[in-house]
Amino acid sequence: MSDDRPGAAPAPDETPDPRAWVAPLISTVVTLPLGLIALFIGGLTPMACDSCNGAAADRFDASFTAAWTVLWIGLLIALIVLIASWAVPRQVFDAARRTGLAIAAPTTVAVTFVAFMALVDWP
């Protein structure tokens, strides 16, 4: 039943979106390799302080532990956002929500990697 009163909210457009898969697919193709690269670089980071000893090594180890935790949590959040972009209903009404989530996933990976690099106390 439609509501034709003035000021009433229009009914959502429940027509199926034939291109609903495009934004999540592009996001997946970008996010997963970007996340793997961030994880790979993060895993190689401890080698930057192989020759460190004493106070420099202690500072690096303490900062790396916190940064590594931030990296993992951020990558998990990016994965959850990516899965959410696939889970949004395939209707025209939800296209903006689906696209926003698809853009947020690789952005989360990039912001997380920048935070990781900033948190490490480089020797």
Side-chain angles (χ1 to χ4, degrees):
M1 177 181 252
S2 77
D3 190 5
D4 294 332
R5 294 179 294 162
D13 187 4
E14 295 183 4
T15 57
D17 188 0
R19 294 180 304 263
W21 55 273
V22 174
L25 180 66
I26 292 171
S27 180
T28 302
V29 168
V30 172
T31 302
L32 292 181
L34 197 61
L36 289 174
I37 291 169
L39 195 60
F40 179 74
I41 292 172
L44 291 178
T45 299
M47 291 194 311
C49 197
D50 276 346
S51 62
C52 296
N53 55 17
D58 292 339
R59 281 194 323 269
F60 179 81
D61 287 341
S63 67
F64 176 75
T65 302
W68 186 249
T69 303
V70 167
L71 181 66
W72 271 100
I73 290 172
L75 291 178
L76 286 175
I77 291 170
L79 183 63
I80 290 168
V81 170
L82 182 63
I83 291 169
S85 74
W86 281 103
V88 172
R90 310 269 189 262
Q91 299 170 351
V92 173
F93 177 72
D94 293 316
R97 183 176 298 128
R98 187 175 36 256
T99 304
L101 288 169
I103 291 170
T107 304
T108 303
V109 172
V111 168
T112 299
F113 183 70
V114 169
F116 168 79
M117 296 300 275
L119 286 172
V120 174
D121 186 13
W122 297 98

